[in-house]
């Protein structure tokens, strides 16, 4: 779908007026009771051990650190482009790009506390789901109030200053990918609200923040730049808006995500052999391919309904997300067979446990996928790999409580 920026803004703004009264169709999980029971059994000890440790953690938000290089204020999220470095030939000049090589001197404090939230909150929600112990749900809400409700500590609902480049720009559309870390947080919120783990007032207070943020994603210059990105960035925009729109009852944006998935993402990203060419051309082809596969799979889990199963959707070349998983599966099961260039960083530390194998295995009846998923390491300690694994609690994504079984 191609629209001018003015038309796009007007469309979203008009639909927003009625957002509070729109009833969303229930999500249809690609897994049922058996899938949930499997994950609950496999992950129970991992979830509860981590959640126990998180009970003692106090909230840390963007107000806990500030960079003098940020053009924003104390409540504004700020990050710097990963692969941008000082120019050795021109000290003091604008930074230059070195694709695939992360600059350790860049400001990363806000990203770190955001990732911390993305680890804490879904784990606490999953622990509550398994035990109904109110300590977990109370701790969950303590962190969410700090981030999204408390005026003293909450983050402003925009990413105007994300992935800035010194000497070039105060922030970029590409930075919207940073809040991919909030996708599973919102998934957890949706589940706890449906199951009575949090009260309506608590849910509504957080919903107000996400209503503002998802509208910013859909109407701002940075948000629309990310929406129109061709590679994994465009995919990540859809997964974020898919979850945020369902939580905030923005059916217009949910429908937009389905449309873009079908008309742009699948046709433009998935080749006839099931590979992801836009990711293979990067300096980290293995990790980028796995990452985009997981995000595509998350979209299928988030947006599929009983009448519109995105796991079964095929683009004009006859390929869909299931074909991506089928293409990459042999190289996950045995990385030594990878026929493309090795990643410039962290190749030896991968693949770690990929949620897409579980989701596709259950949705497409491929038990060999699930078997490999069970045998993979779910506890990577490499920060870069943690950041690029936004779905860490698959229990939240296979829960029948979020499924439409009519």
């Amino acid at each position: 779908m191609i629209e001018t920026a003015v038309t796009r803004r007007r469309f979203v703004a008009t639909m927003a007026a009625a957002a509070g009264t729109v009833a969303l169709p229930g999500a249809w999980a690609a897994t049922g009771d058996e899938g949930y029971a499997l994950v609950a059994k496999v992950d129970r000890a991992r979830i509860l051990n981590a959640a126990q440790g998180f009970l003692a953690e106090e909230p840390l938000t963007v107000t806990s650190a500030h960079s003098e290089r940020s053009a924003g204020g104390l409540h504004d999220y700020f990050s710097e482009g990963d692969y941008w470095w000082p120019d050795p030939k021109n000290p003091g000049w604008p930074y230059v790009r070195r694709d695939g090589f992360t600059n350790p001197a860049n400001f990363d404090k806000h990203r770190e506390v955001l990732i911390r939230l993305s680890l804490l909150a879904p784990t606490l929600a999953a622990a509550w789901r398994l035990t109904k112990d109110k300590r977990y749900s109370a701790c969950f809400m303590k962190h969410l109030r700090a981030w999204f409700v408390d005026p003293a500590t909450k983050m402003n609902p925009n990413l105007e200053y994300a992935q800035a480049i010194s000497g070039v720009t105060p922030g970029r559309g590409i930075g919207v990918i940073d809040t991919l870390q909030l996708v599973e947080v919102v998934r957890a919120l949706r589940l706890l609200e449906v199951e009575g783990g949090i009260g309506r007032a608590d849910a509504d207070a957080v919903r107000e923040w996400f209503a503002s943020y998802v509208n910013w994603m859909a109407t701002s210059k940075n948000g629309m730049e990310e929406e129109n990105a061709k590679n994994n960035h465009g995919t990540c925009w859809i997964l974020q808006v898919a979850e945020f729109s369902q939580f905030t009852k923005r059916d217009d944006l949910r429908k937009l995500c389905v449309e873009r998935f079908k008309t742009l993402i699948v046709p433009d990203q998935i080749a006839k052999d099931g590979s992801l060419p836009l990711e293979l051309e990067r300096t980290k082809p293995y990790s980028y391919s796995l990452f985009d596969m997981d995000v595509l799979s998350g979209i299928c889990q988030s947006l599929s309904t009983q009448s519109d199963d995105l796991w079964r959707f095929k683009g004009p070349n006859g390929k869909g997300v299931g074909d991506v998983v089928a293409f990459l599966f042999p190289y996950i099961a045995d990385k030594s067979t990878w026929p493309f260039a090795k990643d410039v960083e962290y190749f030896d530390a991968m693949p770690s446990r990929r949620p897409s194998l579980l989701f596709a295995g259950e949705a497409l009846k491929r038990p060999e996928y699930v078997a490999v998923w069970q045998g993979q390491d779910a506890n990577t300690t490499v920060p870069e790999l943690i950041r690029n694994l936004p779905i860490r609690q698959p229990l939240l994504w296979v829960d029948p409580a979020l499924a439409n079984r009519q």
Side-chain angles (χ1 to χ4, degrees):
M1 183 178 67
I2 301 175
E3 299 176 287
T4 65
V6 173
T7 301
R8 181 80 168 76
R9 288 191 181 96
R10 185 179 295 119
F11 169 77
V12 175
T14 300
M15 294 304 293
T21 61
V22 173
L24 292 173
W28 177 76
T31 52
D33 295 329
E34 291 183 3
Y36 177 82
L38 169 67
V39 180
K41 179 180 179 180
V42 170
D43 272 357
R44 184 181 182 89
R46 180 177 72 89
I47 290 169
L48 296 184
N49 286 341
Q52 279 289 331
F54 290 154
L55 287 174
E57 297 288 339
E58 292 298 320
L60 288 174
T61 75
V62 294
T63 60
S64 65
H66 185 71
S67 171
E68 62 182 14
R69 295 192 294 275
S70 172
L74 182 64
H75 294 267
D76 289 306
Y77 180 92
F78 176 69
S79 64
E80 294 181 291
D82 293 318
Y83 306 143
W84 292 84
W85 297 69
D87 186 348
K89 297 180 181 178
N90 298 290
W93 282 46
Y95 278 20
V96 294
R97 192 168 187 258
R98 296 175 58 194
D99 187 32
F101 295 92
T102 302
N103 182 354
N106 284 343
F107 180 81
D108 211 32
K109 296 298 184 182
H110 288 174
R111 181 182 287 164
E112 288 173 358
V113 293
L114 187 62
I115 292 173
R116 178 178 181 265
L117 176 70
S118 77
L119 292 168
L120 283 162
T123 301
L124 291 165
W128 178 87
R129 183 69 172 120
L130 291 171
T131 65
K132 299 299 174 71
D133 187 330
K134 292 182 180 180
R135 292 179 302 158
Y136 298 127
S137 54
C139 189
F140 173 86
M141 278 310 306
K142 178 175 68 174
H143 287 275
L144 266 63
R145 288 191 196 97
W147 270 91
F148 308 117
V149 181
D150 187 344
T153 56
K154 72 177 183 177
M155 170 182 157
N156 286 335
N158 66 72
L159 284 190
E160 292 290 347
Y161 310 106
Q163 298 229 5
I165 303 171
S166 184
V168 179
T169 178
R172 299 177 290 161
I174 200 173
V176 176
I177 201 172
D178 284 7
T179 46
L180 186 65
Q181 305 298 334
L182 293 178
V183 163
E184 201 163 64
V185 174
V186 171
R187 185 79 180 186
L189 267 165
R190 293 177 60 208
L191 180 61
L192 262 66
E193 182 178 21
V194 167
E195 287 295 288
I198 57 176
R200 178 65 180 271
D202 280 333
D204 284 347
V206 180
R207 192 166 8 249
E208 182 178 349
W209 190 96
F210 277 97
S212 295
Y213 183 60
V214 77
N215 195 64
W216 177 88
M217 287 186 69
T219 59
S220 68
K221 176 179 178 293
N222 283 0
M224 288 188 291
E225 283 181 1
E226 187 75 340
E227 176 187 359
N228 292 313
K230 300 297 184 183
N231 61 2
N232 65 79
H233 281 266
T235 317
C236 290
W237 187 94
I238 289 179
L239 181 57
Q240 290 187 68
V241 175
E243 282 297 308
F244 302 164
S245 66
Q246 290 178 86
F247 178 56
T248 59
K249 300 178 172 59
R250 287 293 302 271
D251 194 41
D252 58 315
L253 293 180
R254 186 197 66 81
K255 290 177 178 177
L256 177 66
C257 288
V258 174
E259 178 187 1
R260 293 190 69 83
F261 174 83
K262 290 182 174 181
T263 62
L264 294 172
I265 297 299
V266 170
D268 291 352
Q269 291 197 20
I270 304 175
K272 289 183 179 180
D273 62 356
S275 67
L276 298 165
L278 295 176
E279 311 309 325
L280 288 176
E281 68 185 19
R282 301 294 297 273
T283 60
K284 295 179 180 177
Y286 188 66
S287 61
Y288 273 114
S289 293
L290 296 181
F291 172 67
D292 202 29
M293 174 186 67
D294 286 340
V295 177
L296 287 165
S297 299
I299 291 171
C300 291
Q301 290 295 107
S302 178
L303 292 174
S304 288
T305 64
Q306 203 160 19
S307 61
D308 188 17
D309 182 1
L310 298 187
W311 280 107
R312 308 286 175 178
F313 176 78
K314 303 287 187 179
N317 64 3
K319 301 299 180 181
V321 176
D323 298 290
V324 175
V325 181
F327 175 83
L328 288 169
F329 174 69
Y331 312 128
I332 299 172
D334 183 1
K335 187 178 62 179
S336 68
T337 64
W338 179 246
F340 306 99
K342 293 184 178 180
D343 293 16
V344 296
E345 289 182 325
Y346 308 115
F347 185 76
D348 292 339
M350 290 181 285
S352 71
R353 200 171 82 174
R354 315 313 304 187
S356 45
L357 290 186
L358 169 69
F359 300 157
E362 292 290 329
L364 303 175
K365 310 304 179 187
R366 298 291 297 267
E368 67 273 25
Y369 292 179
V370 180
V372 170
W373 170 81
Q374 283 188 253
Q376 290 177 314
D377 180 16
N379 296 299
T380 180
T381 58
V382 180
E384 177 80 359
L385 301 189
I386 293 173
R387 177 166 70 95
N388 290 324
L389 192 67
I391 296 175
R392 309 182 189 100
Q393 298 299 344
L395 186 80
L396 306 175
W397 298 81
V398 300
D399 195 320
L402 290 180
N404 175 16
R405 294 185 169 275
Q406 301 302 318

